[in-house]
């Protein structure tokens, strides 16, 4: 398989409070669906979601094959699971998308999928970040560190020509209830304009 799309949707939502942020209402659907739908339309050959919640799993479109990880584990476990799935599926490359980034556009994801050459990532304010398209070779050689440091180091090592700029909105993620409220207000304002 050429490109495997991987939705990382197993976070603990610690800063969001008692609720799972990925299930928070976003335009009448669970938040995670915004990123899932963009990834679904990106042109990947197959789709996988790394989840720790059955409720998140059942909210995803049927095109996603679900891979469960134990709830409450650090982000490094999701990263390891995603790398393992990409390797076991013999993907030439994997497109990593975070489930809490509802503004990432299908156009941005298609630009990554349609790119030739090596690994690529997005950038905002000079900081490399997901979404990211990583080659099998880079995945095999990525540092295996705690947290998301292994992925972060891999993205920081990419040359500037391999980075696609994101707008401030596209780079936004939802980490707290305040983030959700802020972005909902802005979305409603844009809908009225």
């Amino acid at each position: 398989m050429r490109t495997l799309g991987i939705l990382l949707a197993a976070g603990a939502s610690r800063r969001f409070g008692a609720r799972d942020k990925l299930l928070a209402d976003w335009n009448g659907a669970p938040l995670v669906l915004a990123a899932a739908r963009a990834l679904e339309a990106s042109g990947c050959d197959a789709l996988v979601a790394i989840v720790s919640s059955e409720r998140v799993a059942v909210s995803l479109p049927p095109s996603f094959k679900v891979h469960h990880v134990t709830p409450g584990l650090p982000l490094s476990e999701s990263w390891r699971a995603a790398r393992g799935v990409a390797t076991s599926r013999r993907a030439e490359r994997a497109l990593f998308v975070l489930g809490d980034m509802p503004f990432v556009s299908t156009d941005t994801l298609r630009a990554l999928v349609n790119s030739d050459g090596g690994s690529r990532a997005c950038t905002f304010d000079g900081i490399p970040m997901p979404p990211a398209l990583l080659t099998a070779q880079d995945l095999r050689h990525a540092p295996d560190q705690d947290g998301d440091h292994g992925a972060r180091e891999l993205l920081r090592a990419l040359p500037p020509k391999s980075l696609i700029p994101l707008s401030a909105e596209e780079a936004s993620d939802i980490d707290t209830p305040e983030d959700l409220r802020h972005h909902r207000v802005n979305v409603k304002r844009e809908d009225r304009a």
Side-chain angles (χ1 to χ4, degrees):
M1 146 185 1
R2 175 116 168 102
T3 307
L4 176 64
I6 300 178
L7 181 68
L8 295 174
S13 301
R14 286 182 183 90
R15 291 185 282 169
F16 201 77
R19 296 182 359 200
D20 187 333
K21 70 179 177 183
L22 296 177
L23 297 172
D25 179 67
W26 184 261
N27 297 327
L31 173 71
V32 70
L33 273 184
R37 287 180 179 142
L39 182 55
E40 192 175 39
S42 69
C44 290
D45 300 308
L47 302 169
V48 171
I50 308 297
V51 303
S52 60
S53 159
E54 186 59 30
R55 290 181 60 211
V56 169
V58 300
S59 73
L60 296 171
S63 56
F64 282 84
K65 180 173 173 38
V66 174
H67 180 89
H68 289 273
V69 294
T70 304
L73 293 178
L75 183 58
S76 58
E77 293 306 314
S78 294
W79 167 240
R80 283 186 189 105
R83 288 173 54 199
V85 168
T87 301
S88 70
R89 302 278 303 263
R90 292 185 168 81
E92 293 176 29
R93 53 202 201 147
L95 176 59
F96 291 85
V97 176
L98 304 182
D100 66 353
M101 292 181 75
F103 294 109
V104 171
S105 72
T106 300
D107 288 343
T108 295
L109 299 181
R110 283 184 183 150
L112 288 164
V113 169
N114 293 330
S115 65
D116 291 324
S119 292
R120 296 180 62 90
C122 292
T123 184
F124 178 70
D125 262 355
I127 300 169
M129 62 187 299
L133 180 78
L134 303 176
T135 65
Q137 180 178 351
D138 283 344
L139 284 172
R140 280 192 300 275
H141 296 102
D144 200 17
Q145 299 175 354
D146 290 337
D148 62 350
H149 297 291
R152 191 175 297 148
E153 292 304 314
L154 181 58
L155 299 184
R156 284 182 180 158
L158 292 174
K161 69 179 183 174
S162 297
L163 301 175
I164 296 175
L166 293 179
S167 67
E169 182 179 69
E170 252 190 311
S172 298
D173 61 353
I174 305 296
D175 287 328
T176 66
E178 292 75 28
D179 291 341
L180 184 66
R181 280 191 293 278
H182 169 77
H183 288 295
R184 271 192 195 148
V185 168
N186 288 340
V187 167
K188 286 179 185 174
R189 282 186 193 141
E190 290 171 12
D191 288 346
R192 282 188 240 133

